[in-house]
């Protein structure tokens, strides 16, 4: 195969189909940067980041704590500290502005899951693999799982999901691997194997759920309470949303829905109804924005209370409506 063909093939693999754009590049860079900073925290004397994605500290000063990790800690110890309250308020304030930003831009599991999943959701696939409206299970199961985790935290006297979470585990795994390479005391292969098992378990569950049972992003959709907490609460009023900017340009190709990692039916539930996407499943990856060839969608700021008129049903582009004026002139000349 000629070198030019190889380079074009490699470019297609990297960019994907439909092409990945600036949002995907920015997301991956941010995820990798955060993962690297956590992994090398001991090498840089914990001067930038210290801890994990469950609980950390920036520049040895600003405390950060995941809201659900705080809930589990409060349930397990019955004595939340003032510092932990401040830490969770800082994080909650950030995601009140950004919405379910954590899952698509920060969580390393999104990067890992995306390597092993189908990139396009076929329209004739099983329900949880094709674009669909939010089901009762997707509304009911996540809160039930949160309650179960909190009850287990009370029974065990320690935060259950936070302790065994692959989200925090991925950052700890990176740290332990670096520590083993640099022979830093305290880093043992036993810890590496433990966190590898937890992270690998989540990946295997996700793969089996999609390829055997037809449930895409099973872990994110039903098991992980972190993103669902942000989705159910902050997505409702976050100023950052996927906006339906130009619904009149939609040609109903359904690419936006097909590339959505969470299988949201963007076309029928949002574009046709003229509503900005505030679905609790949306983690603002903006993959739909990149995939749309006509600029129907945009990732920007919108007022939560703004009501937009429902546009007329999108028309399928064709000679009659692509160049209406020209076609009208042609018909008049023919007469």
């Amino acid at each position: 195969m000629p070198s030019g063909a190889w380079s074009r093939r490699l470019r297609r693999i990297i960019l994907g189909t439909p092409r990945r754009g600036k949002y995907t590049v920015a997301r991956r860079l941010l995820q990798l940067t955060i993962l690297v900073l956590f992994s090398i925290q001991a090498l840089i004397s914990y001067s930038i980041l210290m801890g994990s994605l469950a609980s950390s500290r920036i520049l040895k000063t600003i405390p950060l704590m995941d809201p659900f990790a705080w809930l589990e800690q409060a349930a397990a110890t019955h004595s939340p500290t003032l510092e932990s309250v401040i830490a969770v308020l800082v994080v909650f304030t950030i995601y009140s502005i950004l919405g379910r930003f954590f899952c698509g831009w920060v969580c390393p599991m999104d990067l890992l899951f995306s390597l092993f999943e189908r990139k396009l959701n076929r329209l004739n696939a099983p329900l949880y693999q094709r674009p669909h409206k939010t089901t009762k299970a997707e509304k009911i199961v996540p809160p039930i799982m949160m309650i179960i985790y909190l009850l287990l935290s009370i029974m065990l006297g320690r935060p259950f999901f936070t302790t065994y979470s692959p989200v925090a585990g991925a950052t700890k795994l990176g740290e332990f691997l670096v520590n083993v390479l640099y022979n830093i005391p305290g880093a043992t292969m036993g810890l590496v194997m433990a966190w590898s098992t937890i992270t690998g378990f989540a990946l295997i569950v996700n793969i089996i759920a999609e390829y055997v049972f037809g449930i895409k992003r099973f872990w994110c959709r039903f098991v992980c309470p972190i993103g669902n907490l942000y989705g159910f609460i902050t997505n409702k009023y976050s100023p950052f949303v996927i906006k339906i900017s130009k619904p009149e340009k939609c040609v109903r190709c359904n690419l936006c829905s097909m590339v959505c990692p969470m299988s949201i039916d963007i076309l029928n539930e949002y574009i046709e109804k003229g509503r900005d996407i505030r679905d609790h499943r949306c983690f603002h990856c903006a993959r739909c924005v990149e995939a749309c060839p006509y600029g129907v969608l945009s990732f920007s700021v919108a007022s939560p209370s703004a009501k937009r008129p429902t546009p007329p049903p999108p028309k399928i582009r064709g000679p009659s409506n692509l160049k209406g004026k020209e076609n009208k002139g042609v018909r008049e000349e023919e007469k």
Side-chain angles (χ1 to χ4, degrees), residues 43 175-188:
L43 302 181
E175 180 190 2
F176 290 137
L177 286 171
V178 170
N179 290 351
V180 167
L181 290 174
Y182 282 85
N183 196 28
I184 297 176
T188 65

Side-chain angles (χ1 to χ4, degrees), residues 323-335:
K323 298 181 179 180
K325 293 182 179 179
E326 291 84 344
N327 290 334
K328 183 178 179 181
V330 171
R331 288 193 296 268
E332 288 177 354
E333 289 179 3
E334 288 176 351
K335 290 180 181 178

Side-chain angles (χ1 to χ4, degrees), residues 117-148:
E117 69 183 3
R118 292 188 178 96
K119 301 302 184 289
L120 289 175
N121 306 316
R122 293 177 292 111
L123 301 180
N124 60 346
L127 174 63
Y128 289 106
Q129 205 173 70
R130 67 173 185 262
H132 64 278
K133 183 179 179 180
T134 308
T135 64
K136 288 185 179 179
E138 288 171 310
K139 293 178 180 179
I140 296 173
V141 173
I144 291 175
M145 295 302 296
M146 292 181 198
I147 294 172
I148 291 174

Side-chain angles (χ1 to χ4, degrees), residues 29-238:
L29 286 175
L30 182 59
Q31 287 168 333
L32 289 171
T33 300
I34 292 173
L35 189 57
V36 168
L37 286 175
F38 275 120
S39 299
I40 64 172
Q41 56 183 305
L43 302 181
I44 55 177
S45 303
Y46 305 95
S47 58
I48 300 177
L49 272 177
M50 178 173 59
S52 70
L53 284 173
S55 178
S56 57
R57 191 180 293 273
I58 299 177
L59 302 176
K60 298 184 178 181
T61 305
I62 305 172
L64 302 173
M65 192 171 189
D66 172 68
F68 193 79
W70 181 82
L71 287 173
E72 283 198 314
Q73 184 189 68
T77 63
H78 308 291
S79 57
T81 63
L82 177 60
E83 184 180 26
S84 70
V85 172
I86 295 172
V88 78
L89 286 176
V90 171
V91 173
F92 192 78
T93 300
I94 293 172
Y95 292 115
S96 293
I97 298 171
L98 300 177
R100 194 175 175 172
F101 180 89
F102 174 84
C103 300
W105 293 75
V106 178
C107 181
M109 299 308 293
D110 169 64
L111 174 61
L112 188 61
F113 290 156
S114 68
L115 297 176
F116 298 92
E117 69 183 3
R118 292 188 178 96
K119 301 302 184 289
L120 289 175
N121 306 316
R122 293 177 292 111
L123 301 180
N124 60 346
L127 174 63
Y128 289 106
Q129 205 173 70
R130 67 173 185 262
H132 64 278
K133 183 179 179 180
T134 308
T135 64
K136 288 185 179 179
E138 288 171 310
K139 293 178 180 179
I140 296 173
V141 173
I144 291 175
M145 295 302 296
M146 292 181 198
I147 294 172
I148 291 174
Y149 296 142
L150 292 175
L151 290 175
L152 287 171
S153 298
I154 294 172
M155 293 169 59
L156 299 175
R158 62 185 301 181
F160 177 76
F161 185 82
T162 304
T163 303
Y164 303 105
S165 167
V167 177
T171 55
K172 292 181 180 179
L173 173 61
E175 180 190 2
F176 290 137
L177 286 171
V178 170
N179 290 351
V180 167
L181 290 174
Y182 282 85
N183 196 28
I184 297 176
T188 65
M189 286 306 298
L191 290 173
V192 171
M193 294 301 296
W195 290 113
S196 297
T197 302
I198 292 172
T199 304
F201 173 75
L203 177 62
I204 292 170
V205 166
N206 219 58
I207 292 173
I208 292 175
E210 179 175 0
Y211 289 92
V212 178
F213 299 102
I215 306 175
K216 192 170 186 179
R217 288 292 177 116
F218 174 81
W219 190 272
C220 307
R221 201 186 300 266
F222 296 108
V223 180
C224 181
I226 302 172
N228 281 307
L229 188 65
Y230 295 133
F232 280 113
I233 298 175
T234 63
N235 265 14
K236 292 182 179 180
Y237 56 82
S238 166

Side-chain angles (χ1 to χ4, degrees), residues 244-257:
I244 313 301
S245 302
K246 301 173 182 177
E248 71 280 357
K249 289 190 174 183
C250 181
V251 299
R252 299 181 60 82
C253 63
N254 228 342
L255 268 177
C256 55
S257 303

